[in-house]
Amino acid sequence: MSAVGGLYVHIPYCRKRCIYCDFYSAGAIQADWHRLTDSLLTELKVRIGERPAIIETIYIGGGTPSLLPSQEFERLITGLYKCAGGDGIKEFTIEVNPEDVTADSVAMWKSNGVNRVSVGIQSFDDHLLRIAGRLHDSVTSRRALKLLKSVFDNVSGDLIFGLPGQSVESFGSDVREMLDMGVPHLSAYSLMYEERTALTKLRDTGRLNEADETDSVEMFRILCCLTQSYGLKRYELSNYALPGYESCHNSLYWSGKPYIGLGPSAHSYDGIRTRCWNDADIRKYFQVYGYGEPSADLKTELTTCEILTDEELREEQIMTRLRTAEGLNCQDYRTRWGEKAIKELESKAVRHIESGNLYRRGDMLSLTERGVMISDEVIVDLF
């Protein structure tokens, strides 16, 4: 059977870095858009043999993909379709910021095959948006969502909970407003204090305080209740969707399917046991792919690969499957890793089942809503 997978393209430029973001990006004022397009297409041509036999999803992320000028966007998509094939694409997602959503940009994305848009709202509270370093305000968010919904059936909105100064009531209002605007997919992320981010530095120097853990738990409870009342189901730790609107591309990651990543910092996986990633360095990326097909030595300088061991693959299967609401299929785990491995896993799971963090239904082992809030702890305990 031909391998089915996805294509990820990283656009490494932002107008301004959000204080919580640890994704790789450079300042948009430095952007060389023409060279970036050339480099991305050259990388795909060089690596075309690595791609899955059938590409079903394209995801353009960043950074801020909605900054990509229309001429370069059209040139990029034409090249991607030429190399990867466009006929079999079921889902084509682009991440956008509200301030970049205009009638012209929406029409351009639509005409180039985009059929799903993920928009970074984060909050409808202008004070919280300023704290987070976002450039848009609530008025811009509402206008962007209304415009996107008028053109695209499949629109996903992002929210964050646990922001400094965010109240339970404020977050509940954000969720209600997002759902009232008719988005069929919602991604809601608990704020993470990642190393080397401005957010973490502010916390560590005492200039802001983390949200109260009790409040964050209550925000998650409200999130679950409200999404359920609007007909959305949680299908992954941070993602909720109406039936049929689950993200096909992101589901590749959680199900162990192959995907190829283009651009600085982008990761790839062959679906078997090889993972590769490009250095998070736009200058080095241009040196390798910005001047035509590179030598093997140059590619090696940019890209790191690792061969996952059986132990790493087992742990990854536990981690990725338990991220989903469906959970880990214990029979599949037994078939792949043997009787000893499943007995060890089931033995470790007993404590969490008894404490209400996991539940077992037939062959499926899943996190409960309580378990979701401490998912990292539960998952690591099963390794």
Side-chain angles (χ1 to χ4, degrees):
M1 181 180 294
S2 298
V4 174
L7 181 65
Y8 173 80
V9 182
H10 189 76
I11 305 299
Y13 296 116
C14 289
R15 289 193 184 92
K16 180 182 178 183
R17 178 180 287 276
C18 301
I19 65 170
Y20 51 79
C21 181
D22 71 335
F23 292 112
Y24 174 67
S25 67
I29 196 171
Q30 308 169 33
D32 186 338
W33 295 110
H34 190 81
R35 179 167 290 178
L36 176 64
T37 303
D38 282 347
S39 300
L40 291 168
L41 294 177
T42 297
E43 184 184 9
L44 181 58
K45 291 175 184 176
V46 169
R47 300 179 58 200
I48 194 69
E50 301 172 26
R51 71 178 178 88
I54 301 173
I55 295 288
E56 284 195 339
T57 66
I58 295 176
Y59 193 106
I60 302 184
T64 311
S66 51
L67 289 176
L68 194 60
S70 58
Q71 182 176 353
E72 295 304 324
F73 186 85
E74 291 169 357
R75 195 161 69 90
L76 175 64
I77 302 312
T78 299
L80 293 182
Y81 281 171
K82 183 177 180 180
C83 283
D87 294 339
I89 303 300
K90 294 183 177 180
E91 180 186 272
F92 183 172
T93 302
I94 183 172
E95 292 179 348
V96 306
N97 279 355
E99 65 269 22
D100 298 323
V101 178
T102 65
D104 287 343
S105 64
V106 169
M108 185 268 294
W109 298 327
K110 180 75 171 181
S111 67
N112 281 278
V114 172
N115 58 19
R116 181 176 184 270
V117 179
S118 176
V119 57
I121 302 297
Q122 314 313 354
S123 176
F124 291 100
D125 184 315
D126 289 340
H127 174 66
L128 293 176
L129 290 172
R130 287 192 294 271
I131 290 175
R134 302 293 290 182
L135 293 176
H136 67 276
D137 59 15
S138 56
V139 172
T140 304
S141 291
R142 295 181 185 107
R143 183 170 59 241
L145 279 170
K146 184 176 181 180
L147 182 53
L148 288 169
K149 282 291 296 172
S150 71
V151 175
F152 294 98
D153 176 57
N154 197 347
V155 176
S156 175
D158 286 1
L159 292 176
I160 295 178
F161 64 96
L163 286 163
Q166 186 178 35
S167 68
V168 172
E169 293 76 18
S170 173
F171 179 68
S173 177
D174 284 344
V175 177
R176 288 188 188 90
E177 181 159 3
M178 185 79 83
L179 296 176
D180 280 339
M181 296 196 75
V183 295
H185 188 283
L186 173 64
S187 296
Y189 302 99
S190 176
L191 183 68
M192 302 297 291
Y193 286 76
E194 305 288 357
E195 291 184 26
R196 296 184 297 277
T197 62
L199 178 72
T200 300
K201 292 176 182 177
L202 289 171
R203 181 200 62 184
D204 292 347
T205 55
R207 295 166 63 186
L208 60 76
N209 297 317
E210 291 190 45
D212 183 84
E213 184 177 351
T214 302
D215 285 347
S216 292
V217 171
E218 180 62 12
M219 290 178 194
F220 178 71
R221 187 193 67 81
I222 289 174
L223 171 67
C224 291
C225 291
L226 286 174
T227 50
Q228 185 175 20
S229 69
Y230 279 76
L232 282 73
K233 294 184 178 180
R234 180 180 65 81
Y235 69 99
E236 193 268 344
L237 287 182
S238 304
N239 290 279
Y240 303 76
L242 292 175
Y245 286 91
E246 299 84 357
S247 170
C248 297
H249 183 85
N250 289 335
S251 295
L252 295 174
Y253 304 150
W254 308 320
S255 59
K257 299 291 179 60
Y259 54 90
I260 186 169
L262 306 177
S265 80
H267 284 60
S268 304
Y269 181 55
D270 68 354
I272 304 171
R273 64 169 69 237
T274 302
R275 191 177 305 286
C276 298
W277 60 92
N278 292 332
D279 286 354
D281 187 332
I282 185 63
R283 292 180 181 177
K284 184 185 288 188
Y285 185 74
F286 283 162
Q287 288 171 358
V288 175
Y289 289 114
Y291 302 96
E293 185 170 335
S295 66
D297 289 342
L298 276 177
K299 285 175 59 183
T300 301
E301 289 181 14
L302 176 72
T303 305
T304 302
C305 292
E306 65 175 350
I307 307 298
L308 300 177
T309 65
D310 282 353
E311 181 180 2
E312 289 170 331
L313 287 170
R314 285 198 301 270
E315 292 179 354
E316 188 160 293
Q317 185 176 357
I318 293 169
M319 179 182 66
T320 56
R321 305 313 189 270
L322 284 181
R323 286 189 64 91
T324 68
E326 182 183 18
L328 172 69
N329 188 310
C330 294
Q331 183 58 44
D332 288 348
Y333 189 86
R334 174 187 285 109
T335 300
R336 186 173 185 185
W337 304 115
E339 198 64 32
K340 180 180 178 182
I342 189 62
K343 286 182 177 178
E344 289 179 354
L345 175 66
E346 290 173 335
S347 176
K348 293 175 181 178
V350 168
R351 178 171 68 89
H352 290 290
I353 293 173
E354 292 176 347
S355 62
N357 298 324
L358 290 170
Y359 69 93
R360 179 77 179 262
R361 184 175 56 201
D363 286 327
M364 303 307 297
L365 183 67
S366 308
L367 288 166
T368 63
E369 286 192 6
R370 174 180 170 177
V372 168
M373 292 302 298
I374 56 169
S375 58
D376 288 346
E377 176 185 328
V378 175
I379 290 170
V380 169
D381 200 37
L382 297 178
F383 286 172

